[in-house]
Each structure stands twice: as structure tokens, then as C-alpha cells.
Amino acid sequence: MEPSVSETKTHREDLDLVRSVLANDPIAVEAFVLRMRCVGSILKVRNARFGRPLDSAAMEDLVQDTLIVIWRKLRTYAGRGPLEAWAYRISSYELFSALRAARRLPRTESEFDLVYAAQIPAPEDSPEASHTGNRLMRHLRGREAQIVRLKHYENLSFEEIAKLLEVAPSTAKTHYYRAVEKLRAILTPLLSELGTS
Amino acid sequence: MSEHENVQGLGDPSAHEERVRSALLGDSSVTEQQLNQLKDGCAACRAQLEEHAQVQAFLNSGGELERDSILREALERDQFPGDEQVESALRNLLETGPPPAAGDHGQRFRLLRGLMAAAALIVALIATGTLEKKNPARPAATHLGPAQKGALHAEVSGRFEPRGPVESYGPIVWDAKLPSFDCVFICNIYADQDGARGKVLLWAALDEGRWELAQEQRTALPDRIRVEVHVENGSGERVGLPFSLSLSRSNP
């Protein structure tokens, strides 16, 4: 989908902000710090939704580590999306890395289902619950669900997913291909079911 | 299931499937032209590609919805306990100076960095026994070095473009994967002409295998340059060996 004019403009403004931060513009630095305050909040909300697997000390470390990665990667921000979305993606990866380091990242199919099931579910009548993407996700289990979720919901690359799950990138891709093929087979019946309901 | 139709260069159904799979996975080995050829020539593949795109669009949209919901909750809460520490930690980081920078010319830091890069390359080449006597008359070749765990070139599939004489300097593209999330590509452009050989002209930290130079940067570059790419980890240390190529411009 082509970005709308306003989105493009917003992202360009974000890119300009980052460039000014890199040029040590104190006003831009202040604006950037305020924008990135969401990093701590994102991590806390996500940890809460997962049932608080990380305690406050681990969360403090995680926030610090994430900020360092954001700082190091700042120059790679290309303005393809809003600054917060870019920070969200970095936060996701760091959160999953912290869960893995704490041995809380699900390693088996059933553990994965349990961890995601522990998320506070969206209300039945919410847009999230009825969204076709989420309905499709319910047809996947185990490794396939894990990889599709990390790819589309956490917005991670195959290389990042492979690293997190300690598998080869080719393995992650194979699971992903099989999963999308499965969803392709059920998409038409699902859409007609939604259309008639 | 529909049968695959005959498409030039794709003899059997498995070749069609392989191309569809590569397209779904965003594999850069499939060009847009090959993809269009497949879509135009095979109705079964076209349908499959369209359905894949539809599935991916629904999943992407579901992901966006979830991320928006989390972001909204995070922003609406406004102030979590400890948020002020986040601000001060970030301020402290920014006060230490900017991270590795894409740059303009001639700063002392850059020159020092270039020297360090050259020294590190020599040490790496000696350590791996690949240092060779160079014939000054021979143009520098692309150096990929021997495979080793964690090295950048372990995942280089060969593309590093453009090469040799070019009409103008286009985007610099290489097929390589970053070994981990906290790593970045450091791409250095050196002068490759007598009198200035080895001088760092431009450099950038990138998280993808592509560097599109701005028009004014392209114009300002001399007619002979050398491009070198290496990977640095989260601590600013080199990972693996660099690879490089030489370029000359025939139509400045």
C-alpha cells in the first residue's frame, strides 16, 4: 500500500528530527528524549500483557539495554515509519532477547501457545478480536504460529527470528512458507464465512 | 489444482514453486522482471502469488492493529514509574556524542577511524594467512576472504555492485546478512587515485545491504574509488572480515 501524503510527511519530519539529534541540536535532543520516553512504557505494557515474566530489576536492565541499542542504531533510522514504530520494533527484539536470556522464551510448541495464551485477550467485540489477520492466526500452531507472529506482529526479519529461536534462517523461512500456504488454503472459505455472517 | 503453464526458463513445476517461494520470502535472487514474467505466463502462479499477498496483508494489518493498541496504551498512560530514568538515561547517552556516523569529509575522527580500519584489516589478513603481495598494475579485486563463523562473508551470496567502470555512481548494493540485531554495516568509500589513495571520503552505518548516495555526494566523488564494507557489533567491534571493490567512473 502506498503511504498517504500525511504519513510520508510525518516520517520525513521524524527523519529530520533524528538528523538534528545527530547534529547535537539541543532542541531536537529534547524532543527526541520526550518521544522515546515511550520505550519504557512499551516494554512495561508488553511485560504486563505477558503476565510480568520479568521482574522490576530485569525490566530496568531491559529498558537500559534497549535505549543503548536505539542510540547505536539511530543513524540507521530511514524514516520508513514513525519513530515510535521503529523504537517498538527494537523494543520487541530486546524484550524477546531478555526473555530468552531469562529462559522464558518459549522453546517448544506447547510453551509458545501457553505464553501467548497468557496475554490478556482483547475483548470479544474489539477490532483486534474480529480482525481477519487474528482469525487466520488461530489456525496456526507451534513453530509456524511462532514464526508468523514474530514476522508480522513483532515485525522482525527472518534473521532476527532465527537468532531468537536458535534455528537456521532457512528453517525459519521453511516454516513460514508452510504456514502461509496453510493460511492461503483457508483464506477463501474464511472470507466467505465472514461475508455471510 | 491448476497446472503450471510453460514459462520461458522454467521447465518443470518445481521451478515455478521455487520462484513463488522465493517471492514470498522476499528473496533478492528473484528480480522484478522474473516475477512479472511468471505472473504473465502462468495463471496458477499468479493466483498463488496474489493469495500470498492477501494473507500477508491481513497478517500485517493484524500486527499493526496490535502494535497500535500497545503503543496507544503506552502513550495514554503518559507517565509510568521510572519514566524519568528513561529520559535521563537517554539524555546521558546522547550527551556522550552521536553513534557511528555517516559522514562528510576530513574530520580527524574519520581519519583516525580509517587508519584503525586499515590496521584492523592488515591484522585480520595476516591472522588468516590471506595477505598477498599486490601487483600495483592490477586493479584491486573483490576480497571475500575465507569462511569463518560469525564473519560477514559467511552469508555473502556474491552480489556486491556496481563493479568496475560505471557511467555514474549508483546505489551500492551487497547481499549479506547482519549476524545479529545489534550489528550494523559500516560502508567506507576511499579515494583510489594517486595522491589521495586510502583517504576516507564518505562512510555510513547501515542496517541493510544498500547505500544510496545523494546526488551531491555522487557528484563530489572522484573518478576512482574503493568501497569497503564490514560489520560492527553493539560494542563497536568488528565482526568477521571486510569485503571491498574498486570502481571507476567513465562519465563524471
Side-chain angles (χ1 to χ4, degrees):
Chain A
M1 187 189 291
E2 285 295 313
S4 71
V5 173
S6 62
E7 277 172 342
T8 308
K9 185 171 179 285
T10 308
H11 304 163
R12 197 162 294 150
E13 281 170 1
D14 286 358
L15 189 57
D16 288 343
L17 174 67
V18 168
R19 283 176 181 158
S20 302
V21 170
L22 293 169
N24 269 331
D25 173 348
I27 296 170
V29 166
E30 203 48 40
F32 180 76
V33 166
L34 286 176
R35 293 277 297 276
M36 289 297 100
R37 202 171 63 180
C38 67
V39 169
S41 311
I42 290 167
L43 291 167
K44 284 165 195 164
V45 168
R46 301 214 66 188
N47 190 44
R49 285 195 180 193
F50 281 129
R52 300 186 196 284
L54 298 175
D55 62 23
S56 58
M59 280 302 293
E60 206 171 299
D61 288 346
L62 172 61
V63 172
Q64 296 279 347
D65 290 347
T66 307
L67 290 175
I68 290 170
V69 175
I70 284 176
W71 174 75
R72 271 198 57 77
K73 287 186 137 309
L74 194 53
R75 199 168 290 283
T76 67
Y77 173 70
R80 291 191 202 101
L83 206 43
E84 284 80 2
W86 176 76
Y88 183 102
R89 185 170 169 276
I90 293 176
S91 305
S92 282
Y93 186 86
E94 293 302 312
L95 171 65
F96 280 93
S97 293
L99 289 171
R100 186 183 62 168
R103 297 272 171 217
R104 291 192 175 98
L105 184 72
R107 294 175 66 86
T108 67
E109 299 182 356
S110 56
E111 283 172 351
F112 175 77
D113 287 344
L114 283 174
V115 165
Y116 270 100
Q119 261 199 121
I120 298 165
E124 279 295 311
D125 57 348
S126 68
E128 283 99 323
S130 58
H131 190 278
T132 309
N134 293 339
R135 284 173 186 265
L136 284 171
M137 281 302 298
R138 286 180 212 143
H139 291 265
L140 295 177
R141 287 285 174 274
R143 213 41 140 188
E144 288 172 359
Q146 200 170 16
I147 288 168
V148 169
R149 194 158 224 300
L150 291 170
K151 177 89 182 133
H152 291 281
Y153 285 67
E154 309 301 341
N155 220 2
L156 301 181
S157 69
F158 286 119
E159 287 67 34
E160 290 159 0
I161 293 167
K163 179 104 178 151
L164 277 176
L165 301 180
E166 296 173 14
V167 297
S170 57
T171 306
K173 288 178 181 179
T174 300
H175 283 295
Y176 177 78
Y177 180 68
R178 283 190 200 143
V180 174
E181 276 292 291
K182 267 185 197 168
L183 298 180
R184 182 172 79 89
I186 60 164
L187 182 64
T188 308
L190 179 69
L191 289 178
S192 52
E193 180 194 317
L194 293 174
T196 53
S197 62
Chain B
M1 185 185 285
S2 313
E3 281 194 15
H4 292 288
E5 293 162 54
N6 191 24
V7 174
Q8 194 183 3
L10 295 178
D12 63 283
S14 66
H16 285 241
E17 282 158 24
E18 189 49 43
R19 194 164 283 182
V20 168
R21 184 181 186 275
S22 298
L24 175 73
L25 298 173
D27 187 341
S28 58
S29 67
V30 180
T31 64
E32 205 171 326
Q33 189 188 0
Q34 287 173 325
L35 202 55
N36 288 335
Q37 189 187 21
L38 188 65
K39 282 180 189 168
D40 294 342
C42 178
C45 288
R46 184 169 59 246
Q48 196 178 354
L49 287 165
E50 283 169 2
E51 285 164 0
H52 282 168
Q54 211 176 356
V55 167
Q56 286 181 312
F58 279 125
L59 293 171
N60 278 335
S61 160
E64 273 172 32
L65 196 65
E66 182 178 289
R67 291 194 294 275
D68 282 352
S69 142
I70 291 169
L71 259 178
R72 207 168 39 245
E73 190 179 340
L75 295 171
E76 276 169 6
R77 292 257 189 117
D78 194 38
Q79 203 67 29
F80 270 88
D83 273 359
E84 55 292 349
Q85 277 99 323
V86 173
E87 288 181 36
S88 75
L90 196 52
R91 269 196 198 92
N92 288 341
L93 269 175
L94 292 167
E95 276 169 14
T96 64
D104 43 357
H105 308 246
Q107 290 174 4
R108 240 178 353 177
F109 173 59
R110 184 83 34 75
L111 287 171
L112 180 63
R113 214 165 178 289
L115 287 171
M116 285 169 67
L121 173 60
I122 290 165
V123 168
L125 291 174
I126 290 169
T128 54
T130 56
L131 190 63
E132 56 181 332
K133 285 180 185 170
K134 295 231 174 195
N135 176 358
R138 194 184 67 181
T142 300
H143 178 81
L144 295 177
Q148 65 181 55
K149 195 180 175 191
L152 167 65
H153 51 258
E155 298 215 32
V156 171
S157 60
R159 188 169 70 136
F160 187 16
E161 295 169 347
R163 289 165 188 264
V166 291
E167 280 194 14
S168 63
Y169 297 131
I172 299 160
V173 183
W174 57 96
D175 279 344
K177 305 291 184 196
L178 286 169
S180 70
F181 186 73
D182 64 345
C183 289
V184 289
F185 291 116
I186 303 291
C187 183
N188 287 298
I189 297 181
Y190 298 94
D192 199 17
Q193 286 171 305
D194 288 341
R197 185 165 284 124
K199 182 183 174 188
V200 180
L201 304 171
L202 290 170
W203 68 286
L206 305 150
D207 63 357
E208 60 179 2
R210 183 184 179 88
W211 186 11
E212 187 120 29
L213 299 169
Q215 176 63 39
E216 61 270 23
Q217 288 177 316
R218 288 204 297 267
T219 314
L221 285 172
D223 292 340
R224 289 189 63 84
I225 56 170
R226 187 168 63 80
V227 182
E228 183 201 282
V229 179
H230 70 267
V231 171
E232 284 185 7
N233 64 18
S235 311
E237 295 159 343
R238 274 171 177 257
V239 178
L241 296 178
F243 55 99
S244 66
L245 57 76
S246 290
L247 273 174
S248 60
R249 177 171 51 187
S250 58
N251 183 25

